[in-house]
mmCIF file of all heavy atoms in Angstrom:
data_model
loop_
_atom_site.group_PDB
_atom_site.id
_atom_site.type_symbol
_atom_site.label_atom_id
_atom_site.label_comp_id
_atom_site.label_asym_id
_atom_site.label_seq_id
_atom_site.Cartn_x
_atom_site.Cartn_y
_atom_site.Cartn_z
ATOM 1 N N GLN A 134 -44.662 217.446 7.237
ATOM 2 C CA GLN A 134 -45.933 217.962 6.743
ATOM 3 C C GLN A 134 -45.835 218.331 5.267
ATOM 4 O O GLN A 134 -46.839 218.248 4.525
ATOM 5 C CB GLN A 134 -46.352 219.180 7.568
ATOM 6 C CG GLN A 134 -47.716 219.753 7.203
ATOM 7 C CD GLN A 134 -48.851 218.759 7.392
ATOM 8 O OE1 GLN A 134 -48.899 218.036 8.386
ATOM 9 N NE2 GLN A 134 -49.768 218.720 6.439
ATOM 10 N N SER A 135 -44.644 218.718 4.804
ATOM 11 C CA SER A 135 -44.478 219.048 3.385
ATOM 12 C C SER A 135 -44.694 217.827 2.507
ATOM 13 O O SER A 135 -45.162 217.943 1.369
ATOM 14 C CB SER A 135 -43.086 219.637 3.145
ATOM 15 O OG SER A 135 -42.073 218.733 3.562
ATOM 16 N N LEU A 136 -44.387 216.638 3.021
ATOM 17 C CA LEU A 136 -44.662 215.405 2.279
ATOM 18 C C LEU A 136 -46.167 215.136 2.215
ATOM 19 O O LEU A 136 -46.691 214.738 1.173
ATOM 20 C CB LEU A 136 -43.939 214.224 2.937
ATOM 21 C CG LEU A 136 -44.210 212.838 2.354
ATOM 22 C CD1 LEU A 136 -43.853 212.775 0.875
ATOM 23 C CD2 LEU A 136 -43.456 211.765 3.129
ATOM 24 N N ILE A 137 -46.852 215.385 3.321
ATOM 25 C CA ILE A 137 -48.309 215.223 3.338
ATOM 26 C C ILE A 137 -48.964 216.201 2.366
ATOM 27 O O ILE A 137 -49.893 215.834 1.625
ATOM 28 C CB ILE A 137 -48.855 215.434 4.761
ATOM 29 C CG1 ILE A 137 -48.263 214.393 5.723
ATOM 30 C CG2 ILE A 137 -50.380 215.353 4.779
ATOM 31 C CD1 ILE A 137 -48.636 212.973 5.412
ATOM 32 N N ASP A 138 -48.488 217.435 2.347
ATOM 33 C CA ASP A 138 -49.044 218.443 1.430
ATOM 34 C C ASP A 138 -48.857 218.022 -0.025
ATOM 35 O O ASP A 138 -49.752 218.241 -0.862
ATOM 36 C CB ASP A 138 -48.380 219.793 1.677
ATOM 37 C CG ASP A 138 -48.666 220.340 3.071
ATOM 38 O OD1 ASP A 138 -49.664 219.895 3.680
ATOM 39 O OD2 ASP A 138 -47.890 221.192 3.553
ATOM 40 N N LEU A 139 -47.722 217.412 -0.333
ATOM 41 C CA LEU A 139 -47.487 216.938 -1.694
ATOM 42 C C LEU A 139 -48.433 215.795 -2.043
ATOM 43 O O LEU A 139 -49.005 215.770 -3.147
ATOM 44 C CB LEU A 139 -46.029 216.484 -1.841
ATOM 45 C CG LEU A 139 -45.677 215.827 -3.178
ATOM 46 C CD1 LEU A 139 -45.813 216.817 -4.323
ATOM 47 C CD2 LEU A 139 -44.260 215.249 -3.134
ATOM 48 N N LEU A 140 -48.608 214.858 -1.128
ATOM 49 C CA LEU A 140 -49.484 213.715 -1.404
ATOM 50 C C LEU A 140 -50.935 214.156 -1.598
ATOM 51 O O LEU A 140 -51.674 213.531 -2.368
ATOM 52 C CB LEU A 140 -49.386 212.693 -0.270
ATOM 53 C CG LEU A 140 -48.041 211.964 -0.149
ATOM 54 C CD1 LEU A 140 -48.036 211.040 1.059
ATOM 55 C CD2 LEU A 140 -47.739 211.176 -1.414
ATOM 56 N N MET A 141 -51.335 215.205 -0.917
ATOM 57 C CA MET A 141 -52.700 215.703 -1.098
ATOM 58 C C MET A 141 -52.941 216.193 -2.519
ATOM 59 O O MET A 141 -54.075 216.279 -2.974
ATOM 60 C CB MET A 141 -52.969 216.834 -0.104
ATOM 61 C CG MET A 141 -53.040 216.380 1.348
ATOM 62 S SD MET A 141 -54.472 215.321 1.678
ATOM 63 C CE MET A 141 -55.808 216.498 1.451
ATOM 64 N N LYS A 142 -51.862 216.513 -3.239
ATOM 65 C CA LYS A 142 -51.993 216.990 -4.616
ATOM 66 C C LYS A 142 -51.944 215.871 -5.646
ATOM 67 O O LYS A 142 -52.263 216.099 -6.810
ATOM 68 C CB LYS A 142 -50.882 217.991 -4.928
ATOM 69 C CG LYS A 142 -50.878 219.219 -4.041
ATOM 70 C CD LYS A 142 -49.680 220.112 -4.379
ATOM 71 C CE LYS A 142 -49.615 221.327 -3.471
ATOM 72 N NZ LYS A 142 -48.425 222.181 -3.780
ATOM 73 N N VAL A 143 -51.530 214.656 -5.240
ATOM 74 C CA VAL A 143 -51.307 213.606 -6.233
ATOM 75 C C VAL A 143 -52.174 212.363 -6.019
ATOM 76 O O VAL A 143 -52.324 211.558 -6.947
ATOM 77 C CB VAL A 143 -49.816 213.190 -6.262
ATOM 78 C CG1 VAL A 143 -48.939 214.359 -6.644
ATOM 79 C CG2 VAL A 143 -49.379 212.606 -4.930
ATOM 80 N N VAL A 144 -52.721 212.163 -4.812
ATOM 81 C CA VAL A 144 -53.510 210.948 -4.570
ATOM 82 C C VAL A 144 -54.857 211.051 -5.280
ATOM 83 O O VAL A 144 -55.386 212.153 -5.503
ATOM 84 C CB VAL A 144 -53.715 210.692 -3.062
ATOM 85 C CG1 VAL A 144 -52.387 210.404 -2.386
ATOM 86 C CG2 VAL A 144 -54.412 211.865 -2.401
ATOM 87 N N ALA A 145 -55.412 209.885 -5.623
ATOM 88 C CA ALA A 145 -56.665 209.854 -6.383
ATOM 89 C C ALA A 145 -57.873 210.197 -5.513
ATOM 90 O O ALA A 145 -58.800 210.866 -5.966
ATOM 91 C CB ALA A 145 -56.839 208.469 -7.011
ATOM 92 N N ARG A 146 -57.855 209.737 -4.257
ATOM 93 C CA ARG A 146 -58.997 209.970 -3.362
ATOM 94 C C ARG A 146 -58.586 210.933 -2.255
ATOM 95 O O ARG A 146 -58.163 210.530 -1.172
ATOM 96 C CB ARG A 146 -59.470 208.637 -2.766
ATOM 97 C CG ARG A 146 -59.980 207.631 -3.776
ATOM 98 C CD ARG A 146 -61.325 208.063 -4.374
ATOM 99 N NE ARG A 146 -62.322 208.290 -3.343
ATOM 100 C CZ ARG A 146 -63.110 207.322 -2.853
ATOM 101 N NH1 ARG A 146 -63.008 206.074 -3.306
ATOM 102 N NH2 ARG A 146 -64.020 207.602 -1.932
ATOM 103 N N VAL A 147 -58.705 212.212 -2.546
ATOM 104 C CA VAL A 147 -58.351 213.220 -1.544
ATOM 105 C C VAL A 147 -59.377 213.249 -0.419
ATOM 106 O O VAL A 147 -59.086 213.709 0.697
ATOM 107 C CB VAL A 147 -58.255 214.605 -2.219
ATOM 108 C CG1 VAL A 147 -57.704 215.654 -1.260
ATOM 109 C CG2 VAL A 147 -57.391 214.533 -3.459
ATOM 110 N N ASP A 148 -60.578 212.743 -0.692
ATOM 111 C CA ASP A 148 -61.642 212.778 0.307
ATOM 112 C C ASP A 148 -61.443 211.758 1.412
ATOM 113 O O ASP A 148 -62.100 211.835 2.461
ATOM 114 C CB ASP A 148 -62.997 212.536 -0.370
ATOM 115 C CG ASP A 148 -63.022 211.230 -1.150
ATOM 116 O OD1 ASP A 148 -62.057 210.976 -1.914
ATOM 117 O OD2 ASP A 148 -63.994 210.464 -1.018
#
Side-chain angles (χ1 to χ4, degrees):
Q134 184 60 43
S135 58
L136 175 58
I137 299 296
D138 296 339
L139 174 65
L140 292 177
M141 291 293 293
K142 300 177 182 179
V143 299
V144 295
R146 297 289 304 272
V147 188
D148 56 313

